[in-house]
Amino acid sequence: MILVTAATGKLGRLVVAGLLEKVPAHDIAVAVRDPGKASDLAARGVQVRQADYSRPETLGPAFAGVDKVLLISSSEVGQRAKQHQAVVDAAKKAGVRLIAYTSILRADTSGMALAAEHKATEEAIRASGLPFVFLRNGWYTENYTENLAPALAHGAIIGSSGQGRIAAATRADYAAAAVAVLTGTGHENKVYELAGDTSFTAAELAAEVSRQTGKTVVYKDLSQADHVGALVGVGVPAPFAEVLANSDAGAARGELNDTSGDLRRLIGQPTTTLADAIAAAVKR
């Protein structure tokens, strides 16, 4: 039995879809806060179990009879470490034989603010004694391609990543890696640094958007403080704006670039190119 947490999220749904291509539906379970949002999965024979990271009492029943768990990291920044600890505790009590966790690129050494809770979660998993796999996902290409409308409207992409190179990959690429680990063998206690095959700068991103849309889009590099101010000015909550600008600062330091090739090897094919990802976004 393979259980996927946060299975109705964007990444989770792609993972479940990939699993359904490789294993029988009755061998797949999903842990979700709102079972109603997974009714389509239930209709396909997937076991739908109610569970909430913030309600530890729901986790034990959700993990009953499970062999492998994919812990997709919580979206609640600031609450993740506590929530993930509850999941790890429940997985250990349930006798889970493998826990795979969607972490962040080089979580143990990254200076990015987002890395702290991922590092804490990795430490909690190691301390549990459970066999593990750390899927250290790099940046998602969708972080850019899902937000092209403002760039096209204003003719600019703003940020504070300077000339930092970003080896982003799509959610589908990262989901395929998770499926490979959950359905394969020999991954116990492995750490995978996952990133796209080719990197790009924010200026190169803007140039590719311009090429494909026929509209001039430039990259405007700001100081970290000005980046925060610009984001807050268009309605982004200040704490989230701080996280975004901090991540760009990390990119400027090279913390979102990687040349390990782990992702390509896990999925058995090249990762999605920036050009292809933008083309798909433009079509939508």
Side-chain angles (χ1 to χ4, degrees):
M1 177 66 66
I2 299 171
L3 181 138
V4 179
T5 72
T8 53
K10 292 178 180 179
L11 178 63
R13 282 197 168 275
L14 289 171
V15 172
V16 175
L19 288 173
L20 284 167
E21 294 178 358
K22 294 195 171 187
V23 299
H26 60 74
D27 286 340
I28 304 170
V30 296
V32 295
R33 280 187 293 188
D34 182 356
K37 293 182 179 179
S39 58
D40 59 314
L41 298 178
R44 296 187 64 181
V46 173
Q47 295 187 32
V48 177
R49 304 178 178 187
Q50 198 280 331
D52 188 330
Y53 293 157
S54 296
R55 296 172 57 208
E57 69 275 11
T58 68
L59 300 173
F63 288 177
V66 169
D67 299 301
K68 300 177 181 179
V69 170
L70 174 65
L71 168 54
I72 293 180
S73 58
S74 166
S75 60
E76 298 178 59
V77 177
Q79 301 298 315
R80 289 169 161 175
K82 181 180 179 180
Q83 291 174 333
H84 295 168
Q85 181 68 65
V87 173
V88 173
D89 292 343
K92 183 174 182 178
K93 189 173 182 179
V96 168
R97 292 187 297 168
L98 181 74
I99 182 167
Y101 172 62
T102 59
S103 188
I104 195 171
L105 200 61
R106 293 187 292 279
D108 55 339
T109 60
S110 175
M112 290 171 54
L114 282 176
E117 289 181 300
H118 289 293
K119 181 181 180 181
T121 300
E122 288 189 5
E123 291 172 347
I125 292 173
R126 286 184 185 273
S128 75
L130 288 170
F132 65 84
V133 184
F134 295 153
L135 300 165
R136 289 179 171 171
N137 293 349
W139 230 226
Y140 290 63
T141 311
E142 287 88 349
N143 290 348
Y144 305 107
T145 59
E146 289 181 348
N147 296 287
L148 290 179
L152 293 172
H154 299 287
I157 292 172
I158 66 168
S160 48
S161 60
Q163 293 300 308
R165 302 199 70 80
I166 301 160
T170 63
R171 286 194 191 95
D173 291 331
Y174 293 121
V179 170
V181 163
L182 293 168
T183 60
T185 59
H187 299 290
E188 291 83 357
N189 302 326
K190 296 287 183 65
V191 178
Y192 295 112
E193 304 290 354
L194 305 180
D197 290 343
T198 56
S199 62
F200 55 85
T201 65
E204 290 168 353
L205 166 69
E208 184 61 26
V209 171
S210 297
R211 186 183 73 80
Q212 293 205 33
T213 63
K215 298 181 179 180
T216 299
V217 177
V218 300
Y219 172 60
K220 293 185 177 180
D221 194 54
L222 308 174
S223 69
Q224 191 172 339
D226 286 345
H227 188 188
V228 172
L231 291 171
V232 170
V234 294
V236 177
F240 188 48
E242 293 278 1
V243 168
L244 292 175
N246 176 273
S247 297
D248 259 24
R253 297 191 299 268
E255 294 190 356
L256 292 177
N257 194 16
D258 183 75
T259 58
S260 68
D262 282 357
L263 182 53
R264 178 180 66 253
R265 285 188 293 273
L266 270 182
I267 66 179
Q269 63 185 30
T271 61
T272 307
T273 66
L274 177 65
D276 284 349
I278 291 175
V282 169
K283 287 180 182 177
R284 289 194 297 271

